[in-house]
Amino acid sequence: HDEEFPPRILDHVMKNAIKGDVTNVIDVIDKYCWSVEIAMNVGDVKGAILDKSFLEASPKNVLEIGCYCGYSALRMSRLLKEDAKIFTIEASSQYADVAQEIISFAGMEKKVQILRGLSDEVLPTIAEKCGVRTFDFVFIDHAKELYKRDLIMLENLGLIRQGTTIMADNVIFPGCPDYLEYVRNSPKFECTNYPSKLEYCENREDAMEKSIYLP
Ligand SMILES: O=c1[nH]cnc2c(O)cc(-c3ccc(F)cc3)cc12
Ligand SMILES: [Mg+2]
């Protein structure tokens, strides 16, 4: 991926969005990505699917794996109920720096906490670090080859509970076949697929997969 996109989108947001207006920041990012350059945000079309599942879950404790520039964290933060919080794991310090700036610019720094590091290094201590026992909603949107490993880690660490909603991006493109096979064949997950398009594209198929944990 173009390592230089994050600073460009940060600069564009600072210059063109309304400080403290999270909906406008999201809109400015989407307009930029449709018109200037594509970036790997979940985007507006799949973002609407994420929004709907998020509202249905009405979660108190939210975990995101893969923050990137903070776009999906902002989407979820604008739908958070009182005293609910989002914890988002980001391995790239450059992405985390940009995400922190964008999240703060949008006025959501109290609702979104970025945890810097690799998911398999952050997850084992996240419960006591964040004062959370289990997560009510999980959005997986990082490296596709880590989806299955990290879901199993969430189960083994007891970080998900009866009824936790897990949404996964990119289950078609780039695709995560081992993850899909795992959740769809496991009796512990109730899965629903949401066909869509790759972010900011009209003609490339992608999909989101919702898995409800029922141990
Ligand atoms: O690496 C990714 N992590 C999370 N989400 C992604 C995502 O939504 C899209 C893509 C992506 C998009 C176009 C392409 F030609 C190749 C990969 C990567 C990631
Ligand atoms: Mg994605």
Side-chain angles (χ1 to χ4, degrees):
H1 278 281
D2 177 352
E3 291 306 303
E4 297 320 306
F5 167 78
R8 277 202 295 274
I9 193 61
L10 173 58
D11 186 57
H12 182 77
V13 162
M14 308 285 261
K15 285 179 179 147
N16 296 277
I18 303 158
K19 198 164 173 41
D21 184 338
V22 64
T23 302
N24 175 256
V25 171
I26 291 164
D27 193 40
V28 163
I29 294 172
D30 283 328
K31 284 195 169 51
Y32 179 86
C33 291
W34 274 111
S35 59
V36 179
E37 55 176 318
I38 287 185
M40 60 177 176
N41 314 119
V42 73
D44 49 339
V45 177
K46 288 188 290 177
I49 299 168
L50 176 67
D51 289 354
K52 196 167 173 301
S53 297
F54 189 88
L55 287 167
E56 277 160 17
S58 170
K60 184 170 179 309
N61 298 313
V62 180
L63 174 67
E64 174 179 72
I65 311 180
C67 181
Y68 191 41
C69 295
Y71 174 90
S72 46
L74 286 183
R75 284 200 79 99
M76 295 188 285
S77 75
R78 86 197 200 286
L79 304 175
L80 271 180
K81 62 190 178 189
E82 196 54 38
D83 77 21
K85 205 158 170 200
I86 296 169
F87 299 92
T88 178
I89 300 172
E90 178 49 61
S92 156
S93 160
Q94 187 222 10
Y95 294 169
D97 287 347
V98 167
Q100 189 60 70
E101 297 255 9
I102 288 178
I103 288 163
S104 301
F105 182 89
M108 290 296 181
E109 68 284 355
K110 290 192 180 60
K111 292 183 176 282
V112 180
Q113 183 172 345
I114 301 174
L115 305 170
R116 293 159 181 260
L118 295 167
S119 50
D120 61 337
E121 289 169 3
V122 170
L123 286 173
T125 56
I126 198 168
E128 66 246 304
K129 271 229 180 72
C130 301
V132 167
R133 220 168 39 75
T134 56
F135 290 101
D136 309 307
F137 190 93
V138 181
F139 180 45
I140 306 177
D141 188 24
H142 60 329
K144 59 197 186 303
E145 55 275 355
L146 302 179
Y147 281 31
K148 177 181 173 183
R149 179 201 74 179
D150 288 353
L151 180 64
I152 292 169
M153 256 186 110
L154 289 172
E155 276 187 82
N156 293 343
L157 291 166
L159 288 170
I160 52 179
R161 48 109 177 136
Q162 171 105 11
T164 292
T165 299
I166 297 122
M167 285 297 279
D169 188 27
N170 308 119
V171 300
I172 301 289
F173 186 88
C176 48
D178 62 337
Y179 174 84
L180 276 190
E181 195 264 337
Y182 178 73
V183 281
R184 289 177 178 175
N185 294 342
S186 163
K188 292 179 286 184
F189 295 97
E190 194 67 46
C191 297
T192 311
N193 185 262
Y194 299 89
S196 186
K197 295 280 188 268
L198 183 67
E199 54 265 22
Y200 312 115
C201 293
E202 251 124 17
N203 45 26
R204 187 181 279 279
E205 308 295 305
D206 190 14
M208 306 266 273
E209 185 87 357
K210 180 171 82 174
S211 305
I212 311 278
Y213 187 48
L214 302 164

